[in-house]
Amino acid sequence: MEKYTTLSSVQQDIKDSKLHLRQLVEAYLQRIEENKHLNAFVEVFAEEARSQAEIVNSRLLDGTAGKLAGMVIGIKDLICYQNHIVSAGSKILDNYRSVFSSTVVERLLAEDAVIIGRQNCDEFAMGGSNENSFHGPVKNNADNSRVPGGSSGGSAVAVQAGLCMASLGTDTGGSVRQPAAFCGVVGLKPTYGRVSRHGVIAYASSFDQVGPITNSVEDAALLLEVIAGHDEYDSTSSTLPVPAYTQQLDFSGKKRIAYLPETLTSEGLDPEVKALTEKTIKELQEAGHAVEPISFPYLDFVVPTYYILTMAEASSNLARYDGVHYGYRSPNATDLESTYKKSRSEGFGAEVKRRILLGSFVLSAGHYDAFYGKAQRVRRVIREKTDEILQDHDFILLPTTPGPAFGIGEKTDDPVTMYLADIFTVQASLAGIPAISLPLGETKTNLPLGIQLIGKRFGESELLAFSKYILNVTKSR
Amino acid sequence: MTAMDTEQKVMTEEVLNKYELVIGLEIHAQLATKTKIFSSDPAFFGAEPNKHTTPVSLGLPGTLPKINEEVVTCAVKLGLATHCKINLVNRFDRKNYFYADLPKGYQITQDELPICQKGFIVINLKDKEEKKIRLNRIHMEEDAGKSMHDKDDRYSLIDLNRAGVPLLEIVSEPDLRSAEEAAAYLSEVRRIVRYLDVCDGNMEEGSLRCDANISVRLKGAAEYGCRCEVKNLNSIRNLQRAVNYEFRRQVQLIESGERIDQNTLNFDAATGVTSVLRSKEMALDYRYFPEPDLPPLHLSQDWVDELRKELPVLPEQRIKRYTSELGLSEYDASLLTNDRSVADFYEELISVSSNYKSAANWVIGPVQSLLNESGKEISELGIPASAIAEIIQLVEEGKVNNSAATQQIFPVLTASPGKQVNEIARELNLFIDTNEDDLDAFIEQAVSKYPDKVVEYNKGKKGVLGLFMGELMKVSGGKIDPKTANKLLISKLESLK
């Protein structure tokens, strides 16, 4: 079967009776089966997907179908779906079944998406390589010895390998954009507050956002259009109306774009990434856009600031997994204290424990001001500086990652190096603004590379339109 | 008897008198809202265990809190009633600790920027003096669930009905100087929350809970002593007992040259003794930080002003008016204002009757006893204030005597609240229609029954007048005007001198 890259072509073929949605679902199920070695899916909802496909197919034919009819989508194993297991990639929630659906899942279903399964990820979204999953590492489909990125690694590989048409991941410090870059697909992190977090297992509440991982900007726009918008269950969700992103994808005119010279001289930047970034800048300049260097002197501070704040929030967010009310309880527990200690020691993986410990430390009485308090203030400075750049410029352009996908096991012994790999994605997370990773190139060894565009707060419409334009400009290379 | 008890006995009043108490109270008022503070499950007391739960109050993965605006309204009302500054921008924080009845592993509370700050409450002391007790803050927070350790042999049982029930924590400055002041302050807080209808004030069910920070110091000392926090005092009496116990204990320690450790204590109501719950070394680091799931709360000044207008007249203000304008005693005024619905009834009554004193007597007397006996609310009685006003008028005009009114008319009115007072008096034949001749005959009858008492009266024992009046009432069937009868009786007795 033909590999569909956009939803509109699927819908057209179904309407023309060239395709039955059931066939498409079967094809994806088969591909998932054939690519089991990638470990992208933790669980496949095969029967449900089949029966949903029947229903949606007839709706498409009689003209009553929703916007996502024909979309076969996977969801990160961090997003609650009623009566389905959601494990957050952790032993502590292994076999935990959610009694309610997240708002994003409800909105997907309301528009007739077919949810085909839940996708592997780093435990509680903590990681940039998908090596921290209780369900084992995920492999990059471009090179099986390499990581897919993380934490939404399974979600990115699933799209990359054609195991589904799109995925919903979550992005706290780059967890949608970075695996999208490593896997050669599109990954969008919306503005903080644009998409409801209700039913999304929290890692760091003031950063977490659900974002689509897709083959095309069009699909990303469509998914965002469906999942975005105010939700009474999430007090941090914005009440701003949701634009019709899909109707605003046509771009014309000239833009002012900033690039940060610090990113191009940053230590550990892969020469091929640097070259791709410079090439993209040049192409945009040649197309008549103003692309200019704007200094961002805080680049060295983004990673420590990000980790202090997210670990602090995580230490509190993960306190509920205590073996008392649900999830894993150690069989060796004898009283309340040993229930806590043993269940948490046995239930959490090493990286999660590291972040809980560090997070508890930075919030503790003697260290709060020096770490958490200071990081809060630095976050404000970073946000203000970034907003300031975006007052005079439409976008900021920078690499998504310092290098292409690295080898499985290559960085697992060195958490600091692993954290530093987030240097280009955490700025938008700290500022709470939208950013997208676009598959704009490859290394000589055919590993995908991503370029990132950061947009204005709630400026997803412009960001998406320009992203589609860039993909077209660079296609002609 | 322990060594401590023996030693305490030898402590003289003289020694104790050198010291003064310094007390600050932290009072938790459970709000009478329909739903919990951050979720839609019911908040009322008394359901089967774990029935009032939703994914939010269970702290299930993926759930988020959402502020119940009713809670904010309650907090602002209480803040305004206690002269607090209302912070138009205030914020929630997380207080992190592990406990089995705390499903999220943290409590959502307000630490750095509470909704109300810097108020005061006026308390009335015995010697009619008033004292201003300053409030540090009032903040909103969620309650934890309940752990029960004595219901099962092997397991502790957890009931999460209470998890997420809204609380207002009212924190006083250390301005209280005795157990009596602490008690007066706590009962004033209880009266205010009940007036505002934000909390039922029931300490037994735990809707009002009190922790006391207690220290002692030499009188005249500028510095505070080292304080102990006594937890979960579930009645005004136990607060007083705990304070008095701690006073003697702490003085004892200081007198014997020992140090007072800053501990958290438990009060055992059965023995009246405090014991260490947590030492300072065991104190938890709650790792407070801003709650990222809730944006800061922004209140508009207009909305706060609206609430201020809707605020009921508070007991403090009513007592002032009753004593200065209506001429009631402090004691009567305080009895009338204890319960807002009773005070409201009194207000209604005096809007149609200008005999304020009689009106007060009626409310404090027959009406209040009926409330106590029936356990009903005043609104449930259905007796119109106007009916009481009519009775008062009948008595005042000498048409019905007072005992007939309270003992005969009122019970009938209670049984059939719709009935006309005049009609009741007529049916019971209570109207005073006795002429002076009849009255003379009754007096003759009464006087001749107790000749020895007549002698006593004329020897100066005026108290026996009551006995004759009682007899007069009996023989007349209550149908005499007590004022006239009294006058005629005295002249009759005088004539027998």
Side-chain angles (χ1 to χ4, degrees):
Chain A
M1 176 175 295
E2 174 193 351
K3 185 181 164 190
Y4 287 93
T5 52
T6 64
L7 179 63
S8 50
S9 50
V10 172
Q11 290 178 339
Q12 198 52 54
D13 281 4
I14 291 174
K15 281 178 191 159
D16 296 346
S17 293
K18 286 185 195 156
L19 174 74
H20 191 290
L21 185 54
R22 175 72 187 266
Q23 288 175 282
L24 187 62
V25 167
E26 291 299 345
Y28 282 130
L29 289 172
Q30 198 188 330
R31 285 192 65 83
I32 291 170
E33 189 58 35
E34 286 163 6
N35 289 281
K36 265 195 153 168
H37 64 283
L38 296 176
N39 203 17
F41 279 87
V42 175
E43 187 184 358
V44 181
F45 310 143
E47 283 318 304
E48 281 176 65
R50 288 183 176 115
S51 51
Q52 173 79 351
E54 295 289 348
I55 297 167
V56 175
N57 198 84
S58 51
R59 284 187 190 153
L60 266 171
L61 291 176
D62 67 21
T64 59
K67 281 182 187 174
L68 296 180
M71 178 78 88
V72 180
I73 191 166
I75 55 174
K76 186 178 184 178
D77 186 20
L78 198 73
I79 298 174
C80 297
Y81 182 5
Q82 191 169 23
N83 299 327
H84 291 73
I85 292 171
V86 55
S87 80
S90 181
K91 179 179 176 181
I92 213 155
L93 283 180
D94 196 26
N95 296 320
Y96 168 77
R97 209 169 278 275
S98 184
V99 297
F100 70 100
S101 279
S102 54
T103 300
V104 289
V105 161
E106 284 190 345
R107 290 183 179 175
L108 289 183
L109 294 175
E111 293 295 341
D112 288 336
V114 172
I115 299 178
I116 198 164
R118 60 186 168 104
Q119 296 159 330
N120 207 343
C121 61
D122 282 302
E123 185 176 6
F124 287 101
M126 298 180 190
S129 65
N130 219 126
E131 292 166 292
N132 301 330
S133 169
F134 174 62
H135 308 290
V138 177
K139 290 170 181 164
N140 195 314
N141 195 44
D143 176 348
N144 287 176
S145 72
R146 292 179 186 263
V147 303
S151 64
S152 313
S155 304
V157 168
V159 177
Q160 175 194 32
L163 314 185
C164 55
M165 202 179 294
S167 303
L168 282 192
T170 67
D171 190 314
T172 304
S175 284
V176 158
R177 291 162 283 159
Q178 185 251 26
F182 281 5
C183 295
V185 292
V186 174
L188 171 70
K189 179 199 94 75
T191 307
Y192 182 77
R194 182 70 293 181
V195 179
S196 167
R197 295 182 294 117
H198 171 66
V200 180
I201 294 182
Y203 158 23
S205 313
S206 73
F207 294 79
D208 297 344
Q209 270 296 289
V210 172
I213 296 176
T214 54
N215 286 304
S216 68
V217 171
E218 288 86 341
D219 285 355
L222 177 61
L223 279 169
L224 183 64
E225 198 173 294
V226 169
I227 62 173
H230 181 64
D231 176 14
E232 60 161 332
Y233 293 110
D234 177 2
S235 306
T236 64
S237 70
S238 170
T239 51
L240 280 180
V242 179
Y245 301 113
T246 48
Q247 308 304 307
Q248 299 174 12
L249 285 173
D250 292 330
F251 170 79
S252 61
K254 303 295 172 211
K255 292 287 180 192
R256 258 172 96 89
I257 299 157
Y259 71 90
L260 313 177
E262 291 85 356
T263 59
L264 296 178
T265 54
S266 145
E267 201 185 325
L269 180 67
D270 183 277
E272 287 188 277
V273 173
K274 186 178 179 183
L276 176 68
T277 311
E278 283 168 342
K279 187 171 144 203
T280 309
I281 292 170
K282 196 158 162 263
E283 282 168 343
L284 287 171
Q285 283 167 337
E286 281 165 4
H289 303 285
V291 189
E292 53 195 25
I294 300 291
S295 175
F296 180 70
Y298 307 117
L299 194 65
D300 287 345
F301 302 107
V302 295
V303 169
T305 304
Y306 167 80
Y307 275 97
I308 288 170
L309 295 176
T310 54
M311 286 174 179
E313 292 183 18
S315 72
S316 175
N317 281 336
L318 270 61
R320 66 187 66 196
Y321 310 110
D322 59 6
V324 174
H325 297 97
Y326 50 80
Y328 177 76
R329 178 186 292 182
S330 169
N332 308 314
T334 52
D335 59 4
L336 185 61
E337 194 167 319
S338 67
T339 301
Y340 290 151
K341 287 184 174 169
K342 294 193 167 143
S343 306
R344 287 168 70 81
S345 297
E346 295 162 21
F348 287 134
E351 181 59 28
V352 169
K353 282 187 241 182
R354 175 163 30 240
R355 295 195 194 190
I356 290 173
L357 288 173
L358 287 169
S360 302
F361 174 79
V362 299
L363 286 176
S364 61
H367 305 283
Y368 183 95
D369 289 334
F371 292 95
Y372 183 81
K374 189 177 257 179
Q376 284 274 59
R377 293 193 291 279
V378 177
R379 182 181 193 180
R380 200 172 313 129
V381 171
I382 291 168
R383 179 203 301 256
E384 281 164 8
K385 181 67 191 171
T386 308
D387 281 345
E388 187 191 309
I389 296 173
L390 286 167
Q391 263 174 20
D392 303 330
H393 298 82
D394 298 294
F395 311 107
I396 299 172
L397 186 149
L398 70 174
T400 308
T401 59
F406 44 87
I408 292 174
E410 194 183 311
K411 294 187 180 177
T412 39
D413 293 335
D414 187 357
V416 174
T417 310
M418 190 77 102
Y419 297 166
L420 284 170
D422 297 339
I423 186 160
F424 301 138
T425 47
V426 295
Q427 182 186 357
S429 304
L430 285 162
I433 51 181
I436 193 166
S437 178
L438 301 170
L440 292 192
E442 284 187 347
T443 62
K444 290 187 192 82
T445 53
N446 298 112
L447 292 174
L449 293 176
I451 291 291
Q452 189 183 196
L453 269 183
I454 299 176
K456 296 181 184 188
R457 202 171 296 281
F458 296 104
E460 281 84 355
S461 219
E462 295 75 17
L463 184 65
L464 287 161
F466 195 72
S467 296
K468 186 184 163 197
Y469 163 83
I470 290 197
L471 278 169
N472 285 332
V473 167
T474 54
K475 220 181 254 171
S476 53
R477 277 173 194 160
Chain B
M1 192 177 284
T2 66
M4 187 72 157
D5 287 333
T6 333
E7 280 175 74
Q8 281 206 351
K9 279 203 175 134
V10 301
M11 251 196 331
T12 60
E13 285 302 309
E14 199 186 335
V15 173
L16 289 171
N17 270 335
K18 291 197 296 183
Y19 292 89
E20 76 168 349
L21 270 163
V22 175
I23 309 158
L25 296 189
E26 292 171 17
I27 299 172
H28 286 91
Q30 209 175 66
L31 299 185
T33 51
K34 287 186 283 298
T35 56
K36 292 185 177 180
I37 181 166
F38 298 120
S39 60
S40 60
D41 24 0
F44 64 84
F45 177 81
E48 262 180 73
N50 298 309
K51 288 293 172 206
H52 288 175
T53 53
T54 59
V56 176
S57 57
L58 292 174
L60 295 185
T63 52
L64 299 169
K66 184 196 173 202
I67 181 71
N68 175 351
E69 283 168 21
E70 213 185 334
V71 175
V72 185
T73 306
C74 289
V76 171
K77 275 160 82 175
L78 184 57
L80 291 173
T82 54
H83 317 280
C84 283
K85 173 182 170 244
I86 308 297
N87 286 324
L88 294 180
V89 180
N90 58 91
R91 200 183 73 196
F92 287 98
D93 297 280
R94 288 188 187 176
K95 176 179 178 177
N96 295 286
Y97 67 96
F98 284 98
Y99 202 63
D101 53 28
L102 188 71
K104 299 189 299 299
Y106 57 84
Q107 178 196 29
I108 305 178
T109 179
Q110 296 195 296
D111 180 42
E112 260 188 44
L113 206 53
I115 187 160
C116 311
Q117 275 177 308
K118 292 186 169 65
F120 65 85
I121 286 176
V122 175
I123 57 169
N124 289 295
L125 303 176
K126 260 193 192 136
D127 44 10
K128 283 196 173 183
E129 232 179 279
E130 286 185 346
K131 186 170 174 181
K132 224 180 231 188
I133 307 301
R134 291 170 304 151
L135 297 187
N136 176 287
R137 57 153 63 204
I138 299 172
H139 69 246
M140 302 177 277
E141 62 184 26
E142 59 179 337
D143 210 343
K146 246 183 200 164
S147 297
M148 285 156 282
H149 304 294
D150 51 2
K151 298 264 164 95
D152 188 279
D153 292 342
R154 285 190 61 200
Y155 297 105
S156 289
L157 304 183
I158 298 167
D159 177 7
L160 294 177
N161 282 349
R162 209 180 63 181
V165 166
L167 297 176
L168 291 182
E169 183 172 341
I170 306 144
V171 183
S172 84
E173 295 292 352
D175 285 354
L176 301 160
R177 291 291 174 272
S178 68
E180 291 68 38
E181 285 187 20
Y185 168 77
L186 176 54
S187 38
E188 188 58 29
V189 169
R190 186 172 64 172
R191 193 147 65 160
I192 294 171
V193 295
R194 292 171 69 175
Y195 254 70
L196 296 173
D197 210 13
V198 300
C199 166
D200 66 19
N202 190 328
M203 294 195 74
E204 241 164 69
E205 284 176 2
S207 16
L208 200 68
R209 304 194 285 269
C210 176
D211 304 336
N213 285 298
I214 305 168
S215 65
V216 300
R217 63 177 172 186
L218 282 171
K219 281 180 181 162
E223 301 289 314
Y224 292 130
C226 190
R227 68 184 158 86
C228 290
E229 184 182 7
V230 187
K231 285 277 184 198
N232 292 325
L233 298 163
N234 62 359
S235 71
I236 293 178
R237 186 166 161 266
N238 284 339
L239 165 65
Q240 285 180 285
R241 290 169 72 203
V243 168
N244 285 328
Y245 177 83
E246 271 301 295
F247 181 52
R248 299 180 78 94
R249 184 185 74 87
Q250 294 187 18
V251 168
Q252 175 74 39
L253 282 172
I254 296 172
E255 282 290 310
S256 49
E258 287 180 58
R259 190 167 54 96
I260 291 165
D261 293 319
Q262 192 180 331
N263 291 337
T264 303
L265 307 176
N266 189 36
F267 178 72
D268 185 338
T271 60
V273 169
T274 62
S275 57
V276 178
L277 200 65
R278 272 196 307 270
S279 68
K280 195 187 179 188
E281 291 70 34
M282 288 156 69
L284 298 168
D285 179 354
Y286 291 118
R287 305 190 312 275
Y288 285 99
F289 76 104
E291 164 58 281
D293 286 331
L294 291 167
L297 212 51
H298 291 262
L299 314 178
S300 84
Q301 187 62 54
D302 286 351
W303 181 69
V304 172
D305 292 343
E306 251 344 274
L307 285 180
R308 193 191 298 276
K309 275 187 222 154
E310 290 166 16
L311 223 53
V313 184
L314 291 168
E316 176 196 335
Q317 296 158 285
R318 280 186 170 164
I319 289 176
K320 219 166 249 172
R321 201 177 112 236
Y322 293 171
T323 51
S324 63
E325 287 175 32
L326 308 187
L328 302 187
S329 71
E330 187 87 29
Y331 182 70
D332 285 356
S334 157
L335 286 180
L336 280 174
T337 51
N338 259 337
D339 186 284
R340 181 177 162 191
S341 57
V342 171
D344 287 346
F345 185 77
Y346 179 68
E347 291 283 335
E348 206 185 324
L349 184 52
I350 59 174
S351 71
V352 288
S353 170
S354 54
N355 196 332
Y356 307 131
K357 179 66 188 157
S358 292
N361 288 342
W362 268 91
V363 174
I364 298 166
V367 174
Q368 187 64 56
S369 347
L370 184 63
L371 291 175
N372 295 348
E373 280 160 27
S374 63
K376 284 183 179 168
E377 290 289 318
I378 205 155
S379 57
E380 295 174 277
L381 295 181
I383 301 172
S386 58
I388 305 288
E390 279 174 45
I391 301 180
I392 292 172
Q393 199 182 348
L394 287 179
V395 173
E396 203 174 332
E397 289 171 352
K399 290 183 179 163
V400 167
N401 83 54
N402 193 51
S403 55
T406 53
Q407 285 157 27
Q408 300 187 62
I409 299 181
F410 187 65
V412 175
L413 185 67
T414 314
S416 18
K419 220 162 174 183
Q420 291 299 313
V421 169
N422 272 308
E423 199 185 322
I424 299 173
R426 201 171 310 117
E427 279 177 15
L428 295 175
N429 199 16
L430 294 176
F431 278 115
I432 294 167
D433 49 7
T434 321
N435 57 35
E436 292 213 0
D437 288 347
D438 294 336
L439 194 50
D440 282 340
F442 291 139
I443 290 174
E444 197 64 47
Q445 229 177 312
V447 167
S448 57
K449 194 172 177 184
Y450 300 106
D452 45 336
K453 300 287 171 193
V454 177
V455 178
E456 276 181 35
Y457 178 85
N458 281 324
K459 277 182 182 161
K461 202 171 171 192
K462 305 293 182 203
V464 296
L465 205 56
L467 176 112
F468 286 115
M469 280 302 290
E471 187 62 24
L472 270 180
M473 286 295 167
K474 207 157 90 187
V475 295
S476 68
K479 292 173 64 181
I480 53 168
D481 172 20
K483 272 185 222 157
T484 321
N486 196 272
K487 204 174 71 195
L488 289 176
L489 175 65
I490 289 172
S491 55
K492 176 70 183 174
L493 289 171
E494 300 280 333
S495 73
L496 293 171
K497 211 175 211 174

